[in-house]
Amino acid sequence: MQFNSSFNEVSVPKVCSIPILPLKSRVPGPCPQTSETDILDEVFTTFRANIFLHNFEIQGDADRLLLYLSIKLQQMIAYMADQPNRGEAELNMSMLYKTFRCPGDRNFELPGIISLATTAEEKQRFKQVIEQLLTEMVQRALDKCYNEDGSKNKWWCHFKNFKFIM
């Protein structure tokens, strides 16, 4: 059983077929602020069930974003699990996700699922949205993958060996 996004029916602006959803974020960016459940909460909530899927039926544009962010979360977990402690992971994670591929770039994770930007402005807007989402997700992933004492949380780090839909 797959878990789709509850934001599929929300009417918000879109960029490259992904919605610009409200976000509980400490990071400034184009996503509006909210204090309610956001897409990153959904990613973390559904991740451990969805990671075992080989197929994912997209029921709306928010599912495209959920899929993209779930792949990125799996990559983050794989990276963090190889770091000796939270301090080392924090040093390298922020630099690791400052650069990422956009639709149309070589080796983009979801070609054909997230549409290409039609203008340079749309591509720039996509980069801004994804950068804000990934920067916030890094902080939340660090909180999930490491215990308060800085040691690894084995219940999250063991997902490093799983490949989500890839």
Side-chain angles (χ1 to χ4, degrees), residues 9 25 37 43 46 57 61 79 82 121 132 140 145 155:
E9 303 302 320
S25 180
T37 300
V43 169
T46 62
E57 182 183 341
D61 288 331
Y79 180 79
D82 290 336
E121 293 81 24
Q132 182 184 11
R140 294 187 197 184
C145 290
W155 302 112

Side-chain angles (χ1 to χ4, degrees), residues 101-120:
R101 295 181 285 278
C102 293
D105 291 351
R106 186 176 181 172
N107 296 327
F108 179 67
E109 289 88 349
L110 296 172
I113 294 183
I114 296 178
S115 64
L116 299 173
T118 55
T119 64

Side-chain angles (χ1 to χ4, degrees), residues 141-159:
L142 285 165
D143 292 342
K144 295 278 187 194
C145 290
Y146 292 96
N147 299 316
E148 289 181 15
D149 65 356
S151 64
K152 292 178 189 172
N153 179 334
K154 68 179 180 180
W155 302 112
W156 277 92
C157 288
H158 83 277
F159 286 106

Side-chain angles (χ1 to χ4, degrees), residues 18-149:
I18 64 162
I20 302 173
L21 295 166
L23 185 63
K24 289 187 293 193
S25 180
R26 302 163 276 202
V27 179
C31 296
Q33 293 287 321
T34 187
S35 59
E36 298 175 10
T37 300
D38 64 11
I39 188 69
L40 292 180
D41 292 332
E42 262 190 7
V43 169
F44 284 99
T45 302
T46 62
F47 179 78
R48 293 192 279 185
N50 284 346
I51 193 151
F52 295 109
L53 300 175
H54 295 287
N55 299 313
F56 187 88
E57 182 183 341
I58 295 173
Q59 296 178 352
D61 288 331
D63 281 344
R64 296 174 202 284
L65 184 57
L66 181 72
L67 186 61
Y68 179 78
L69 293 174
S70 295
I71 290 169
K72 289 297 186 185
L73 177 58
Q74 193 283 323
Q75 293 169 352
M76 287 179 190
I77 290 170
Y79 180 79
M80 285 187 257
D82 290 336
Q83 301 304 306
N85 57 47
R86 182 182 173 130
E88 290 292 320
E90 268 182 291
L91 282 173
N92 299 318
M93 286 296 289
S94 60
M95 292 189 317
L96 190 65
Y97 285 97
K98 289 291 182 192
T99 58
F100 51 86
R101 295 181 285 278
C102 293
D105 291 351
R106 186 176 181 172
N107 296 327
F108 179 67
E109 289 88 349
L110 296 172
I113 294 183
I114 296 178
S115 64
L116 299 173
T118 55
T119 64
E121 293 81 24
E122 186 180 17
K123 186 172 184 174
Q124 184 61 32
R125 183 91 166 143
F126 177 84
K127 285 182 178 184
Q128 291 169 345
V129 169
I130 297 300
E131 183 174 354
Q132 182 184 11
L133 287 165
L134 292 179
T135 303
E136 180 64 27
M137 193 162 75
V138 164
Q139 292 307 310
R140 294 187 197 184
L142 285 165
D143 292 342
K144 295 278 187 194
C145 290
Y146 292 96
N147 299 316
E148 289 181 15
D149 65 356

